[in-house]
Amino acid sequence: MTWVDLRDRYGITQLVFDEDRTSSKLIEQARSLGREFVVQIKGEVIERASKNPNIPTGNIEVLVEEVLVLNTSKTPPFTIENETDGGEDIRMKYRYLDIRRNPVKDSLIFRSKVSMEVRKYLSNEGFIEVETPYLIKSTPEGARDFVVPSRMNEGQFYALPQSPQTFKQLLMVGGLDKYFQIVKCFRDEDLRADRQPEFTQIDCEMAFVEQEDILNAFEGLTKHLLKEIKGIDITDFPRMTFDEAMKRYGNDKPDIRFGMEFSELNDVAQHKDFNVFNSAELVVGIAVPGGNSYTRKEIDKLTDWVKRPQVGALGMVYCRCNEDGSFKSSVDKFYDQDDLAKWAEITDAKAGDLICVLSGDKNKVRAQLSALRMELAERLGLRNPNEFAPLWVIDFPLLELDEETGHYHAMHHPFTSPKPGQLELLDSDPAAVRANAYDLVLNGNEIGGGSIRIHDASTQAIMFKHLGFTQEEAKAQFGFLMDAFQYGAPPHGGIAFGLDRLVAILGGQETIRDFIAFPKNNSGRDVMIDAPAPIDNEQLKELNLKLDLPS
Amino acid sequence: MTWVDLRDRYGITQLVFDEDRTSSKLIEQARSLGREFVVQIKGEVIERASKNPNIPTGNIEVLVEEVLVLNTSKTPPFTIENETDGGEDIRMKYRYLDIRRNPVKDSLIFRSKVSMEVRKYLSNEGFIEVETPYLIKSTPEGARDFVVPSRMNEGQFYALPQSPQTFKQLLMVGGLDKYFQIVKCFRDEDLRADRQPEFTQIDCEMAFVEQEDILNAFEGLTKHLLKEIKGIDITDFPRMTFDEAMKRYGNDKPDIRFGMEFSELNDVAQHKDFNVFNSAELVVGIAVPGGNSYTRKEIDKLTDWVKRPQVGALGMVYCRCNEDGSFKSSVDKFYDQDDLAKWAEITDAKAGDLICVLSGDKNKVRAQLSALRMELAERLGLRNPNEFAPLWVIDFPLLELDEETGHYHAMHHPFTSPKPGQLELLDSDPAAVRANAYDLVLNGNEIGGGSIRIHDASTQAIMFKHLGFTQEEAKAQFGFLMDAFQYGAPPHGGIAFGLDRLVAILGGQETIRDFIAFPKNNSGRDVMIDAPAPIDNEQLKELNLKLDLPS
């Protein structure tokens, strides 16, 4: 007997060639088939002798009567199995073979399904999908634009959109009061891991709305997706201000599937002679459930982990909560049992837990403890990919201080409106100004963000001024938008979701690459087609360009 | 009484301010409202005194109790009405105001609906929407690529796709046997009227198929769209070979909503002393229904029309078919009544018709008579935008002679497969080779085209050789595809529809511009945002580029 696995998009079916029932010529042919050959077969579906309950076709096999080889194949450079022996690089070079593997194939099909559900939901809600242009105009604001030289307009360039932001606002001015688009966006940034120079957004905008309308509309979309794609009914859709998120989780995209919330310990930790705490702006701790089971060595390793440059803490104070109600801390020299009992009370630590405490500059220490919290949750198995906890983070600051330049820039983008009545604060206390800006967080990932926009030219002019645009710069770059605001622009706002990330998280993954058919590597290269590549001088000349490479 | 029209995306509602029932303050406010102001109103919906049966809200009006001006407006530069006083240029500059007009707004909503129906149908048929990359690699083949300099890869360029052709073929190699995508494509061509540098395709590919499968699948899509969008059931979906279309209509995208089919008259027109006909490769005529009613002056004008440089005929012979059965031609000197009776018989001309005859080089005269046929149909009102006549044109030539260079190039693209057994003809008679290539024609417009592809590396190599690629060039540009064909590529083929054109035709229009939210003008400029535009030297330097403008 000879068995052959026949694989297509829909699964695997076992072919059988049986010496009793199959001609010797056909058996010969079957034996000549190689891995990844493309065949067309005719035969009879029969009950399988040894059934395989793990696959849908495990009860049957096909007794083959005829084989036609449609194409042969060289031996593939890695095994086409769920678990492959191929490394990232070789799989990317032969992405068309990688796509034959279930994990990639299923991810692409999954993405297609999510996109379709997004479109169905938004269409049913009256949103119109409008295609905005890809060849637009470069603006120095924010991250870098990819530019496209124009042959017909000598010496001039288009830019690829970082988002359709201004166009969707113009559609609102144009009266199309509910817009969406699933659209590619482009950003020529130095790529961090898991970023792509081209990425996909679910881009939305609504007119005649307030923040509440937008939150409700996209809470609806998120619930719909969780229901249709994952079969999960979400009833609880909490909201948290940016300030609260920073205080409770040290992070503007908290994972709320688990606890270990921050507790600020300044009041109960700065009254003794421990100078590290006394000199700190913030002393903050978390209670790690069951953490007292860690050995001294394990805790030392945790301390090393927070001291890594990627996290950057100077050290970690811990306090064991023993089963007998006593405490044992790394700072027993300074704090007595009553002090530590207060720490436990405030951090809500139970017997058997471990309290981890960091201290220092408020912003830094929050980021450090947040990193530790996420790491511990990972180790403790608290980040269940099959559990989904969405969260709105609202009331973001309007401006963000660029520590390098000392200038403020827009935290979201320059079209975000300050909260009513806060425009005046822009001069006196810019950092205090809050915006009608919101992020949708899912399982500790920001999957969407948006804002209510400025819709009158004078407020927009004030914003541009505070962001350091001269009037001429503002006019040159956004004149068309300022003009548009003078012709009856309605109040409007919107949101954009990162589709790549959303799909990955719904698919229970943290990396986006398998959900993109032909991704680029960390240098922005497509290693399969070997792009980017030099172009010939003829083509450069037509574009009125010369290379100007560093010598 | 004061009336105000309140307009939003959904229509117009009349507001009424009535001296008896409205406070004088409110009336004052109503009088201060200007055109295109954005207002929020509260009031009571009441029966309208003088009803307007032409609009859905014509039976009611709103007695206003409260007005809140959300934004004021300058006087718009053109009237925001169905019929506007604004010319093309000003409407494009203020496109956001143009979009408020019903003809544009409705076209954009219509497009959104068509796209959604396409997605629904193809998804239900098991097609997976896969996003292919926009930053790809430049190939000198065919029309010009837009290129995108890479900052991170010095001196190298991405290209924007003219179509996702190779990627969709790689998806087939990857086993995703039914793919589609609604996708932007880019072509840096000198723009003819009604072409855009960026345009949208419904791009599709299927594996394990023959031509018949594809024709059936997309006949299904076309029928679905006509049914869902226009409420029209199409039962007849004829097919015609390219050769037949050229012979019967002089055109590979014939409008078959009306007759006036070509009749070749060589046999009955080359036996007399009329040298114009005797020296012609082809003498061909059409019978214009009712054309005998044209005055001599009108016929002379028609002759002038075909002699325009855009058409290029040297002259036109005509023959009146009188009600009494006699004929009167412009060549009575050469042909007698018996001759003309034969012309009438062959062209199927009835009493009252006019026979128009052109002669000359076969390809040229067919194009000229086709232009005349379309022009006459337009004048006779035979091109009814509410009638839809789809047609498959099949069996296209594989190669096309470039008259300038004398070289053959791929008529469709270099991945199109010749018909079985015709590969050998490539050397001996390249023009005779027919391809498994097909176009979908709707009302005289090509709205889609595709082919069965080559799926083995050796045939592809032969094709590249015949298209003038050296082995090195083929490898440099399409090496990844040739590689892919060696790892078990299935037979596959596909089609792409031009969405802009399809939507315009379904919408009963011949121009695509109103169906594109932010179109570019004939110089490839977006006059609203004023793009393309110069970029600063800093940005050029980062891209390792210098301008090299002609001095």
Side-chain angles (χ1 to χ4, degrees), chain B residues 219 223 226 232-238 388 390:
Chain B
E219 190 168 312
K223 285 179 176 173
L226 286 168
I232 292 172
D233 273 305
I234 293 285
T235 49
D236 196 25
F237 215 116
F388 291 90

Side-chain angles (χ1 to χ4, degrees), chain A residues 308-374:
Chain A
R308 298 184 320 152
Q310 296 94 320
V311 182
L314 293 173
M316 182 180 88
V317 166
Y318 68 85
C319 172
R320 292 176 176 280
C321 305
N322 295 321
E323 294 296 338
D324 63 3
S326 69
F327 302 97
K328 174 84 193 73
S329 85
S330 58
V331 285
D332 280 353
K333 218 191 307 180
F334 301 100
Y335 299 96
D336 58 28
Q337 290 289 311
D338 282 353
D339 291 327
L340 300 177
K342 280 191 188 136
W343 294 13
E345 190 190 332
I346 291 173
T347 59
D348 203 21
K350 308 272 177 295
D353 290 356
L354 178 76
I355 304 171
C356 297
V357 183
L358 300 182
S359 63
D361 170 76
K362 188 169 75 181
N363 290 336
K364 282 187 188 152
V365 78
R366 279 177 171 171
Q368 291 156 4
L369 190 61
S370 173
L372 177 62
R373 176 178 176 268
M374 293 300 274

Side-chain angles (χ1 to χ4, degrees), chain A residues 131 144 151 158 188 200 524, chain B residues 131 151 158 188 200 524 542:
Chain A
E131 296 175 47
R144 293 171 215 243
R151 190 172 49 88
Y158 302 100
D188 188 11
T200 307
Chain B
E131 295 174 48
R151 189 172 49 87
Y158 301 100
D188 188 10
T200 307
E542 278 194 345

Side-chain angles (χ1 to χ4, degrees), chain A residues 9 71 74 100 126 131 134 144 151 156 158 173 188 198 200 486-487 524-525 532-533 542 544 548, chain B residues 9 74 100 126 131 134 144 151 156-158 173 188 198 200 486-487 489 524-525 532 542 544 548:
Chain A
R9 170 180 147 195
N71 215 340
K74 294 205 298 193
R100 291 185 190 164
E131 296 175 47
Y134 279 91
R144 293 171 215 243
R151 190 172 49 88
Q156 301 192 358
Y158 302 100
V173 178
D188 188 11
E198 51 178 304
T200 307
Q486 299 188 316
Y487 290 99
R525 292 199 71 81
E542 277 195 346
N544 303 294
D548 181 28
Chain B
R9 171 179 147 196
K74 294 205 297 195
R100 291 185 191 164
E131 295 174 48
Y134 280 91
R144 294 172 214 240
R151 189 172 49 87
Q156 301 192 358
F157 294 76
Y158 301 100
V173 178
D188 188 10
E198 50 178 305
T200 307
Q486 300 189 316
Y487 290 101
R525 293 198 70 82
E542 278 194 345
N544 304 294
D548 181 28

Side-chain angles (χ1 to χ4, degrees), chain A residues 50-68:
Chain A
S50 65
K51 301 197 170 47
N52 177 352
N54 297 323
I55 63 170
T57 56
N59 288 335
I60 57 114
E61 56 193 4
V62 178
L63 182 62
V64 177
E65 288 153 17
E66 214 178 301
V67 173
L68 176 64

Side-chain angles (χ1 to χ4, degrees), chain A residues 500-539:
Chain A
D500 306 297
R501 175 86 38 213
L502 174 63
V503 168
I505 292 167
L506 290 176
Q509 311 270 332
E510 295 255 315
T511 60
I512 61 176
R513 214 164 277 188
D514 275 355
F515 293 85
I516 298 172
F518 300 101
K520 295 192 171 54
N521 73 9
N522 285 346
S523 314
R525 292 199 71 81
D526 182 327
V527 296
M528 180 185 72
I529 62 171
D530 195 25
I535 59 175
D536 59 29
N537 283 327
E538 187 86 4
Q539 209 170 347

